[in-house]
Amino acid sequence: MFSLKSLEAFDLEAADALLAAIRAVAEENFFAITVPCDAGTFAELAVRQPRWLVARVQFEEGPLAGSVSCTLPEELAHVLLDAFSGWEPSAPAPTYDQVLDLVGEFSNMVCGSWLTRITRHQAFTLSRPVVEPALAPAHADGPRLFVAVRDLPLAVDVRLQSVTQDVRPEGFV
Amino acid sequence: MRILIADDSAMMRALIKRVVKLSDVPVEEILEAGNGAEALALLKSHDVHLLLTDINMPVMSGTILLREIAGNDRWRGLNCMIISTDGSTSRREETADLDARWYLEKPFRPEVLKDVLTKVAGSLRS
Protein backbone atom coordinates (compact mmCIF):
# COMPACT_ATOMS: atom_id res chain seq x y z
CA MET A 1 0.00 0.00 0.00
CA PHE A 2 1.39 3.39 -0.96
CA SER A 3 2.40 5.56 1.99
CA LEU A 4 1.42 9.22 1.96
CA LYS A 5 4.47 9.82 4.14
CA SER A 6 6.46 9.46 0.96
CA LEU A 7 5.30 12.88 -0.15
CA GLU A 8 8.30 14.10 1.79
CA ALA A 9 10.53 11.05 1.55
CA PHE A 10 10.26 8.63 -1.34
CA ASP A 11 10.11 5.40 0.62
CA LEU A 12 11.98 2.21 -0.09
CA GLU A 13 8.85 0.32 -1.11
CA ALA A 14 7.99 2.89 -3.76
CA ALA A 15 11.59 2.98 -5.02
CA ASP A 16 11.74 -0.82 -5.29
CA ALA A 17 8.43 -0.82 -7.13
CA LEU A 18 9.71 1.82 -9.53
CA LEU A 19 12.85 -0.18 -10.32
CA ALA A 20 10.76 -3.32 -10.82
CA ALA A 21 8.45 -1.40 -13.18
CA ILE A 22 11.34 -0.06 -15.25
CA ARG A 23 12.88 -3.52 -15.55
CA ALA A 24 9.57 -5.17 -16.46
CA VAL A 25 8.85 -2.62 -19.18
CA ALA A 26 12.39 -2.55 -20.58
CA GLU A 27 12.89 -6.30 -20.54
CA GLU A 28 9.44 -7.57 -21.58
CA ASN A 29 8.54 -5.20 -24.38
CA PHE A 30 11.90 -3.71 -25.27
CA PHE A 31 14.14 -6.77 -24.73
CA ALA A 32 16.67 -4.57 -22.96
CA ILE A 33 18.64 -5.72 -19.94
CA THR A 34 18.28 -3.11 -17.21
CA VAL A 35 20.34 -2.73 -14.05
CA PRO A 36 20.30 -0.07 -11.35
CA CYS A 37 23.33 2.16 -11.07
CA ASP A 38 24.55 4.98 -8.88
CA ALA A 39 24.83 8.66 -9.75
CA GLY A 40 28.54 8.35 -10.53
CA THR A 41 28.07 5.54 -13.03
CA PHE A 42 25.16 7.41 -14.58
CA ALA A 43 27.35 10.49 -14.97
CA GLU A 44 30.08 8.44 -16.66
CA LEU A 45 27.57 6.97 -19.12
CA ALA A 46 25.91 10.33 -19.65
CA VAL A 47 29.01 12.33 -20.47
CA ARG A 48 29.29 10.63 -23.86
CA GLN A 49 25.76 11.52 -24.90
CA PRO A 50 25.21 14.81 -26.78
CA ARG A 51 21.42 14.79 -27.13
CA TRP A 52 18.70 13.82 -24.70
CA LEU A 53 14.95 13.45 -24.48
CA VAL A 54 12.73 13.98 -21.46
CA ALA A 55 9.28 12.39 -21.32
CA ARG A 56 6.85 13.42 -18.59
CA VAL A 57 3.62 11.63 -17.69
CA GLN A 58 1.26 13.15 -15.15
CA PHE A 59 -0.96 10.92 -13.06
CA GLU A 60 -3.85 11.06 -10.66
CA GLU A 61 -4.49 8.13 -8.35
CA GLY A 62 -7.15 8.70 -5.73
CA PRO A 63 -6.01 11.59 -3.52
CA LEU A 64 -2.55 11.68 -5.04
CA ALA A 65 -1.27 13.44 -8.13
CA GLY A 66 2.18 13.78 -9.58
CA SER A 67 4.38 12.94 -12.49
CA VAL A 68 6.98 10.47 -13.64
CA SER A 69 9.70 11.69 -16.00
CA CYS A 70 12.15 9.59 -17.98
CA THR A 71 15.36 11.26 -19.13
CA LEU A 72 17.40 9.33 -21.68
CA PRO A 73 19.84 9.96 -24.50
CA GLU A 74 18.59 9.82 -28.09
CA GLU A 75 20.88 6.84 -28.65
CA LEU A 76 18.89 4.83 -26.10
CA ALA A 77 15.63 6.05 -27.63
CA HIS A 78 16.70 4.58 -30.98
CA VAL A 79 17.79 1.31 -29.35
CA LEU A 80 14.41 1.01 -27.65
CA LEU A 81 12.54 1.86 -30.83
CA ASP A 82 14.41 -0.77 -32.85
CA ALA A 83 13.63 -3.42 -30.25
CA PHE A 84 9.99 -2.43 -29.73
CA SER A 85 9.06 -2.17 -33.37
CA GLY A 86 11.32 -4.83 -34.87
CA TRP A 87 12.81 -2.23 -37.14
CA GLU A 88 14.57 -3.82 -40.09
CA PRO A 89 17.87 -2.28 -41.29
CA SER A 90 16.42 -2.20 -44.80
CA ALA A 91 13.42 -0.15 -43.67
CA PRO A 92 13.41 3.65 -43.85
CA ALA A 93 14.86 5.38 -40.80
CA PRO A 94 12.23 6.26 -38.20
CA THR A 95 10.99 9.81 -38.10
CA TYR A 96 11.70 12.06 -35.15
CA ASP A 97 7.99 11.98 -34.28
CA GLN A 98 8.12 8.19 -34.10
CA VAL A 99 11.08 8.39 -31.73
CA LEU A 100 9.21 10.85 -29.51
CA ASP A 101 6.10 8.64 -29.58
CA LEU A 102 8.14 5.64 -28.55
CA VAL A 103 9.82 7.46 -25.66
CA GLY A 104 6.43 8.72 -24.54
CA GLU A 105 4.98 5.22 -24.63
CA PHE A 106 7.96 3.84 -22.69
CA SER A 107 7.44 6.44 -19.99
CA ASN A 108 3.69 5.83 -20.02
CA MET A 109 4.28 2.13 -19.35
CA VAL A 110 6.85 2.80 -16.62
CA CYS A 111 4.48 5.18 -14.83
CA GLY A 112 1.47 2.88 -15.16
CA SER A 113 3.37 -0.23 -14.17
CA TRP A 114 4.75 1.55 -11.10
CA LEU A 115 1.36 2.87 -9.99
CA THR A 116 -0.20 -0.58 -10.41
CA ARG A 117 2.55 -2.12 -8.28
CA ILE A 118 2.31 0.30 -5.38
CA THR A 119 -1.44 0.03 -5.01
CA ARG A 120 -3.09 -2.89 -6.77
CA HIS A 121 -6.64 -1.69 -6.13
CA GLN A 122 -6.82 2.01 -6.97
CA ALA A 123 -7.44 2.97 -10.57
CA PHE A 124 -5.55 5.93 -11.98
CA THR A 125 -5.55 8.29 -14.93
CA LEU A 126 -2.50 9.25 -16.96
CA SER A 127 -1.98 12.30 -19.11
CA ARG A 128 -0.69 12.01 -22.64
CA PRO A 129 3.12 11.97 -22.36
CA VAL A 130 4.94 15.19 -23.20
CA VAL A 131 8.33 14.54 -24.78
CA GLU A 132 10.91 17.29 -25.27
CA PRO A 133 14.55 17.45 -26.33
CA ALA A 134 17.22 18.42 -23.81
CA LEU A 135 20.94 19.04 -23.96
CA ALA A 136 21.62 17.17 -20.73
CA PRO A 137 19.78 15.66 -17.77
CA ALA A 138 18.34 18.42 -15.62
CA HIS A 139 18.90 18.64 -11.89
CA ALA A 140 16.33 16.53 -10.06
CA ASP A 141 13.85 18.29 -7.76
CA GLY A 142 12.67 15.09 -6.14
CA PRO A 143 13.42 11.36 -5.96
CA ARG A 144 15.47 10.08 -8.90
CA LEU A 145 16.35 6.55 -9.90
CA PHE A 146 19.37 5.83 -12.10
CA VAL A 147 19.50 2.74 -14.29
CA ALA A 148 21.57 1.47 -17.20
CA VAL A 149 19.51 0.07 -20.04
CA ARG A 150 21.73 -1.90 -22.43
CA ASP A 151 24.61 0.01 -20.85
CA LEU A 152 23.01 3.35 -21.70
CA PRO A 153 21.86 5.83 -19.04
CA LEU A 154 18.28 6.39 -17.98
CA ALA A 155 17.07 8.58 -15.11
CA VAL A 156 13.54 8.35 -13.78
CA ASP A 157 12.16 11.15 -11.64
CA VAL A 158 9.07 11.13 -9.48
CA ARG A 159 7.27 14.26 -8.33
CA LEU A 160 4.41 13.88 -5.90
CA GLN A 161 1.73 16.22 -4.68
CA SER A 162 -1.60 15.77 -2.92
CA VAL A 163 -4.73 16.59 -4.85
CA THR A 164 -6.64 17.73 -1.78
CA GLN A 165 -4.90 19.48 1.09
CA ASP A 166 -7.06 17.77 3.72
CA VAL A 167 -6.07 14.25 2.68
CA ARG A 168 -3.41 13.38 5.22
CA PRO A 169 -2.75 10.25 7.24
CA GLU A 170 -2.61 10.39 11.01
CA GLY A 171 0.63 11.86 12.22
CA PHE A 172 1.55 13.36 8.88
CA VAL A 173 2.69 16.95 9.24
CA MET B 1 -12.02 -11.43 -38.50
CA ARG B 2 -11.90 -7.65 -38.48
CA ILE B 3 -9.97 -6.09 -35.60
CA LEU B 4 -10.01 -2.52 -34.30
CA ILE B 5 -7.04 -1.23 -32.28
CA ALA B 6 -7.63 1.91 -30.21
CA ASP B 7 -4.55 3.50 -28.59
CA ASP B 8 -3.23 7.05 -28.70
CA SER B 9 0.32 5.80 -29.31
CA ALA B 10 1.01 5.02 -32.95
CA MET B 11 3.99 2.91 -31.88
CA MET B 12 1.85 0.80 -29.56
CA ARG B 13 -0.75 0.32 -32.31
CA ALA B 14 2.07 -0.79 -34.63
CA LEU B 15 3.31 -3.30 -32.04
CA ILE B 16 -0.14 -4.77 -31.49
CA LYS B 17 -0.67 -4.92 -35.25
CA ARG B 18 2.62 -6.77 -35.65
CA VAL B 19 1.67 -9.29 -32.94
CA VAL B 20 -1.68 -9.84 -34.65
CA LYS B 21 -0.03 -10.45 -38.03
CA LEU B 22 2.51 -12.85 -36.50
CA SER B 23 -0.22 -14.81 -34.72
CA ASP B 24 -1.22 -16.82 -37.81
CA VAL B 25 -4.87 -16.13 -37.03
CA PRO B 26 -6.82 -15.28 -40.19
CA VAL B 27 -7.50 -11.54 -40.10
CA GLU B 28 -9.42 -9.77 -42.83
CA GLU B 29 -8.58 -6.23 -41.79
CA ILE B 30 -6.95 -4.30 -38.96
CA LEU B 31 -8.40 -0.86 -38.25
CA GLU B 32 -6.71 1.77 -36.09
CA ALA B 33 -8.01 4.60 -33.93
CA GLY B 34 -6.12 7.18 -31.88
CA ASN B 35 -8.86 7.64 -29.29
CA GLY B 36 -12.27 6.39 -28.26
CA ALA B 37 -14.17 8.80 -30.50
CA GLU B 38 -12.31 7.63 -33.60
CA ALA B 39 -12.92 4.04 -32.53
CA LEU B 40 -16.64 4.69 -32.14
CA ALA B 41 -16.80 6.18 -35.63
CA LEU B 42 -15.07 3.11 -37.06
CA LEU B 43 -17.41 0.78 -35.19
CA LYS B 44 -20.37 2.58 -36.78
CA SER B 45 -18.98 2.18 -40.29
CA HIS B 46 -17.39 -1.29 -40.10
CA ASP B 47 -18.41 -4.73 -38.90
CA VAL B 48 -15.76 -5.28 -36.21
CA HIS B 49 -15.33 -8.62 -34.43
CA LEU B 50 -12.68 -7.72 -31.86
CA LEU B 51 -11.86 -4.40 -30.21
CA LEU B 52 -8.46 -3.97 -28.53
CA THR B 53 -8.51 -0.74 -26.60
CA ASP B 54 -6.37 1.27 -24.23
CA ILE B 55 -7.97 3.07 -21.28
CA ASN B 56 -6.12 6.38 -20.99
CA MET B 57 -6.73 8.15 -24.30
CA PRO B 58 -7.48 11.78 -25.15
CA VAL B 59 -10.86 12.97 -26.50
CA MET B 60 -12.66 9.81 -25.34
CA SER B 61 -11.21 7.28 -22.91
CA GLY B 62 -11.45 3.53 -23.29
CA THR B 63 -13.89 3.37 -20.38
CA ILE B 64 -16.31 5.81 -22.00
CA LEU B 65 -15.94 3.94 -25.29
CA LEU B 66 -16.95 0.72 -23.52
CA ARG B 67 -19.95 2.51 -22.01
CA GLU B 68 -21.06 3.62 -25.47
CA ILE B 69 -20.69 0.06 -26.77
CA ALA B 70 -22.51 -1.50 -23.82
CA GLY B 71 -25.38 0.96 -24.24
CA ASN B 72 -26.03 0.06 -27.87
CA ASP B 73 -27.64 -3.25 -28.88
CA ARG B 74 -25.95 -2.96 -32.26
CA TRP B 75 -22.68 -4.03 -30.62
CA ARG B 76 -24.08 -6.73 -28.39
CA GLY B 77 -21.59 -9.58 -28.43
CA LEU B 78 -18.65 -7.45 -29.65
CA ASN B 79 -15.47 -9.00 -28.25
CA CYS B 80 -13.62 -6.34 -26.24
CA MET B 81 -10.15 -6.57 -24.79
CA ILE B 82 -8.43 -3.93 -22.70
CA ILE B 83 -4.70 -3.35 -23.22
CA SER B 84 -3.62 -0.86 -20.57
CA THR B 85 -0.87 0.11 -18.15
CA ASP B 86 -3.55 0.34 -15.44
CA GLY B 87 -3.62 -3.12 -13.91
CA SER B 88 -5.54 -2.12 -10.77
CA THR B 89 -8.33 -4.39 -9.56
CA SER B 90 -10.83 -1.55 -9.57
CA ARG B 91 -10.15 -0.78 -13.24
CA ARG B 92 -10.39 -4.46 -14.12
CA GLU B 93 -13.72 -4.71 -12.30
CA GLU B 94 -14.99 -1.53 -13.94
CA THR B 95 -14.23 -2.78 -17.45
CA ALA B 96 -15.56 -6.27 -16.71
CA ASP B 97 -18.84 -4.65 -15.67
CA LEU B 98 -18.84 -3.01 -19.11
CA ASP B 99 -18.52 -6.42 -20.79
CA ALA B 100 -14.81 -6.34 -21.61
CA ARG B 101 -13.93 -10.05 -21.62
CA TRP B 102 -10.15 -9.80 -21.50
CA TYR B 103 -7.70 -7.52 -19.76
CA LEU B 104 -4.06 -7.34 -20.79
CA GLU B 105 -1.73 -5.29 -18.66
CA LYS B 106 1.17 -3.46 -20.34
CA PRO B 107 3.92 -4.51 -20.70
CA PHE B 108 2.33 -7.64 -22.12
CA ARG B 109 3.60 -10.90 -23.49
CA PRO B 110 2.67 -11.30 -27.17
CA GLU B 111 1.66 -14.93 -26.66
CA VAL B 112 -1.13 -13.85 -24.29
CA LEU B 113 -2.61 -11.65 -27.01
CA LYS B 114 -2.18 -14.47 -29.50
CA ASP B 115 -4.19 -16.82 -27.24
CA VAL B 116 -7.09 -14.36 -27.18
CA LEU B 117 -6.97 -13.95 -30.95
CA THR B 118 -7.09 -17.71 -31.39
CA LYS B 119 -10.08 -17.99 -29.05
CA VAL B 120 -12.00 -15.23 -30.80
CA ALA B 121 -11.23 -16.68 -34.24
CA GLY B 122 -12.42 -20.07 -33.02
CA SER B 123 -15.66 -18.67 -31.63
CA LEU B 124 -16.40 -16.90 -34.92
CA ARG B 125 -15.96 -20.13 -36.87
CA SER B 126 -18.35 -22.10 -34.62
Side-chain angles (χ1 to χ4, degrees):
Chain A
M1 184 67 186
F2 192 76
S3 166
L4 283 174
K5 286 183 284 185
S6 63
L7 281 173
E8 290 201 334
F10 195 63
D11 63 20
L12 190 57
E13 183 185 347
D16 284 348
L18 182 59
L19 177 59
I22 297 166
R23 295 183 83 166
V25 170
E27 291 172 7
E28 288 189 32
N29 272 170
F30 294 84
F31 312 107
I33 299 297
T34 300
V35 294
C37 64
D38 57 28
T41 304
F42 178 88
E44 287 172 11
L45 296 173
V47 75
R48 306 168 205 161
Q49 300 295 334
R51 287 182 305 275
W52 294 75
L53 293 168
V54 182
R56 185 163 169 257
V57 179
Q58 291 181 291
F59 66 85
E60 280 189 22
E61 182 179 38
L64 276 184
S67 65
V68 170
S69 298
C70 292
T71 303
L72 64 161
E74 282 192 13
E75 182 182 353
L76 178 54
H78 281 274
V79 166
L80 294 176
L81 188 148
D82 288 349
F84 188 76
S85 61
W87 213 275
E88 299 284 339
S90 56
T95 65
Y96 192 62
D97 281 346
Q98 286 173 321
V99 176
L100 298 184
D101 182 358
L102 185 281
V103 172
E105 184 59 24
F106 177 85
S107 305
N108 184 56
M109 286 201 277
V110 167
C111 183
S113 186
W114 174 60
L115 290 171
T116 299
R117 283 164 195 276
I118 58 176
T119 164
R120 292 270 353 157
H121 179 71
Q122 177 72 53
F124 54 84
T125 55
L126 302 179
S127 69
R128 190 173 171 81
V130 174
V131 187
E132 294 172 324
L135 290 176
H139 175 72
D141 291 333
R144 171 171 277 184
L145 200 64
F146 297 109
V147 294
V149 181
R150 287 221 194 149
D151 298 323
L152 292 167
L154 168 69
V156 182
D157 297 290
V158 177
R159 297 184 77 173
L160 300 167
Q161 64 193 71
S162 61
V163 173
T164 53
Q165 290 298 316
D166 58 356
V167 179
R168 291 174 184 274
E170 286 183 13
F172 182 72
V173 177
Chain B
M1 176 164 57
R2 184 174 289 112
I3 296 173
L4 170 58
I5 303 169
D7 195 303
D8 58 333
S9 165
M11 293 302 298
M12 180 53 71
R13 294 198 306 269
L15 172 71
I16 295 170
K17 202 171 172 177
R18 187 157 64 102
V19 171
V20 170
K21 287 182 177 177
L22 291 173
S23 69
D24 293 329
V25 169
V27 174
E28 177 186 344
E29 188 177 11
I30 302 174
L31 303 166
E32 296 185 49
N35 58 63
E38 288 179 13
L40 203 57
L42 286 168
L43 284 172
K44 288 174 181 173
S45 60
H46 295 75
D47 185 20
V48 173
H49 304 101
L50 174 63
L51 167 67
L52 308 174
T53 181
D54 192 6
I55 292 292
N56 286 290
M57 293 186 290
V59 184
M60 180 188 287
S61 70
T63 309
I64 296 176
L65 171 62
L66 289 178
R67 271 188 226 286
E68 292 286 331
I69 292 168
N72 192 324
D73 284 345
R74 174 181 176 175
W75 295 308
R76 183 187 298 275
L78 172 64
N79 293 288
C80 297
M81 177 180 197
I82 307 302
I83 302 181
S84 174
T85 57
D86 187 346
S88 64
T89 53
S90 60
R91 189 72 78 188
R92 287 171 183 266
E93 287 166 3
E94 180 186 31
T95 55
D97 287 344
L98 294 171
D99 300 328
R101 287 184 64 187
W102 299 278
Y103 201 109
L104 197 54
E105 189 179 327
K106 295 178 188 174
F108 63 88
R109 293 181 185 278
E111 54 267 29
V112 177
L113 177 54
K114 184 182 172 181
D115 284 346
V116 171
L117 292 168
T118 304
K119 282 177 186 154
V120 173
S123 71
L124 291 173
R125 277 194 296 269
S126 60

